[in-house]
Amino acid sequence: MKALVYHGAGKKHWEVKAPPQLIESTDAIVRIIKTTICGTDLHILKGDVPTVDAGRTLGHEGIGIVESVGESVHNIKVGDKVIISCITVCGRCRYCKRQLYSHCEEGGWILGHKIDGTQSEKVRIPHADNSLHRLPEGIDEEAALMLSDILPTGLEIGVINGKVQPGNTLALIGAGPVGLSALLASQFYSPAHIIMIDTDDNRLHVAQQFGADTVINPTHQNVVEVIQKLTDGLGVDVAIECVGIPATFKICQDIITAGGHIANVGVHGKSVELHLEDLWIKNITITTGLVNTSSTPMLLKSLQSGKISPEKLVTHRYSLSEIETAYEVFGNAAKEQALKIVLNAE
Ligand SMILES: [Zn+2]
Ligand SMILES: [Zn+2]
């Protein structure tokens, strides 16, 4: 079989690799139908994630068909069509008992990180009973693929951590795939006014189509002034940071109202300034996190009933063997107007 293999910073190759085998009795082998590329994969390729060894197959999102299961797997059967969760869940460690699956002592984010991932024709999934979600008949496969990572991330780490409530004014900073996922998920909670902030006018246009009431481009608008005007000088109830740079975290601090929530979703590569000299008196809450994927079953039901349409995030499609081209396009996302790229196995 073939897989997209990481060979150290800046190097990757679509190449022949031995197919995965069952190792533990709780494993399953899944034949990939669809996978995609995440911003995290680009971070790995830049060399920002030193815990990824050369020789690792990348990718932590996918849907596929179960080909074989170990003898201790009971919920998932050969032939099932499944969503592969980006988080592997043992279900019995100290963190899993607290539903902090992202910190699972035998799992967490290991796919395409510490073990071979989903940008491959086949993948081994440990703790298959808890880490795979059976896909009911009739669900759009591209929509389902968005439930591997970005939609639960936007919901759990953005919207739920940010405690979005009906009537709130919500600002999302960053209209990439995760920011747009948070925008979709926020609408479960009926915020009164949704503001999207991004420097890319095309992405702002998409955000409007996804339900943003106001869009702000900081390259030609003063974000703080616009938001002060919109909120009667108060600021926003919730600010969700979906970029991961000091400038965007500063915007969150500048626009948050007293009693508000700043939910950080972005992956930060360097430290940010925390303006406690302004914020100490404002009764705000700042949250961080890595997705637990505990919301995936709920999101699956919402998909099934047509309440959400995350397939709207898909802008490009390639066959899996064209993955190196797909990486080029995703690496130039603004120029290519790319959000999520679906890779289809032949
Ligand atoms: Zn991801
Ligand atoms: Zn665990």
Side-chain angles (χ1 to χ4, degrees):
M1 65 150 213
K2 286 186 129 182
L4 195 278
V5 180
Y6 173 71
H7 290 290
K11 285 177 272 178
K12 60 174 178 338
H13 193 220
W14 176 247
E15 64 192 40
V16 173
K17 196 163 182 172
Q21 308 288 332
L22 296 171
I23 298 174
E24 304 289 340
S25 65
T26 45
D27 288 351
I29 303 296
V30 178
R31 179 169 53 78
I32 294 291
I33 303 173
K34 284 178 161 60
T35 184
T36 178
I37 306 169
C38 179
T40 308
D41 299 319
L42 299 184
H43 275 291
I44 294 171
L45 275 167
K46 275 192 208 141
D48 291 348
V49 190
T51 41
V52 181
D53 294 328
R56 179 70 60 236
T57 300
L58 297 182
H60 51 262
E61 296 161 85
I63 57 171
I65 303 283
V66 176
E67 271 204 349
S68 57
V69 295
E71 60 195 10
S72 306
V73 175
H74 301 296
N75 301 335
I76 298 291
K77 302 207 163 31
V78 170
D80 282 350
K81 192 196 275 189
V82 290
I83 298 174
I84 299 165
S85 174
C86 67
I87 299 296
T88 301
V89 180
C90 84
R92 52 176 189 232
C93 73
R94 290 171 294 178
Y95 290 111
C96 284
K97 293 283 185 208
R98 294 162 56 197
Q99 288 208 322
L100 267 174
Y101 304 134
S102 56
H103 296 273
C104 173
E105 290 174 316
E106 291 182 30
W109 173 44
I110 55 173
L111 276 179
H113 177 203
K114 294 179 176 162
I115 64 170
D116 284 343
T118 55
Q119 290 168 8
S120 174
E121 289 175 331
K122 291 180 188 185
V123 61
R124 179 179 72 92
I125 303 297
H127 302 292
D129 271 339
N130 302 318
S131 311
L132 297 173
H133 300 269
R134 196 181 303 109
L135 199 51
E137 283 294 311
I139 290 194
D140 183 278
E141 289 180 352
E142 291 186 348
L145 181 59
M146 303 301 122
L147 268 56
S148 274
D149 177 355
I150 60 169
L151 207 63
T153 295
L155 174 62
E156 295 174 21
I157 308 306
V159 176
I160 295 177
N161 279 359
K163 291 205 162 45
V164 176
Q165 302 290 320
N168 275 174
T169 299
L170 162 67
L172 297 140
I173 299 89
V178 171
L180 291 168
S181 294
L183 169 58
L184 289 177
S186 72
Q187 292 166 62
F188 286 130
Y189 297 87
S190 302
H193 198 106
I194 305 175
I195 301 160
M196 178 62 88
I197 302 163
D198 198 287
T199 53
D200 180 343
D201 284 326
N202 170 57
R203 288 188 164 190
L204 290 176
H205 180 66
V206 175
Q208 280 174 316
Q209 292 171 330
F210 280 30
D213 301 290
T214 300
V215 296
I216 306 176
N217 186 334
T219 50
H220 36 80
Q221 283 170 290
N222 183 317
V223 176
V224 176
E225 270 176 22
V226 175
I227 288 182
Q228 290 289 326
K229 223 175 258 170
L230 272 173
T231 57
D232 225 359
L234 292 178
V236 300
D237 300 298
V238 182
I240 300 180
E241 202 286 340
C242 300
V243 182
I245 58 172
T248 47
F249 193 72
K250 179 162 191 306
I251 290 176
C252 295
Q253 299 177 67
D254 289 342
I255 61 175
I256 197 74
T257 191
H261 287 77
I262 297 175
N264 186 80
V265 185
V267 179
H268 290 263
K270 56 177 164 185
S271 62
V272 301
E273 268 186 51
L274 181 62
H275 289 283
L276 275 181
E277 73 279 15
D278 299 322
L279 297 178
W280 71 272
I281 200 170
K282 289 184 77 174
N283 301 55
I284 64 150
T285 304
I286 299 175
T287 57
T288 70
L290 175 64
V291 66
N292 290 306
T293 63
S294 48
S295 67
T296 306
M298 178 284 259
L299 286 168
L300 247 180
K301 283 190 180 161
S302 301
L303 254 193
Q304 209 170 2
S305 66
K307 300 279 185 207
I308 45 170
S309 307
E311 68 278 7
K312 294 191 290 195
L313 289 158
V314 178
T315 54
H316 292 65
R317 293 163 186 85
Y318 291 95
S319 71
L320 184 54
S321 59
E322 296 173 300
I323 189 165
E324 289 178 300
T325 308
Y327 261 95
E328 288 298 309
V329 171
F330 193 61
N332 292 300
K335 182 171 142 257
E336 302 283 352
Q337 304 199 346
L339 290 169
K340 280 305 252 188
I341 297 182
V342 171
L343 294 152
N344 291 296
E346 284 84 29

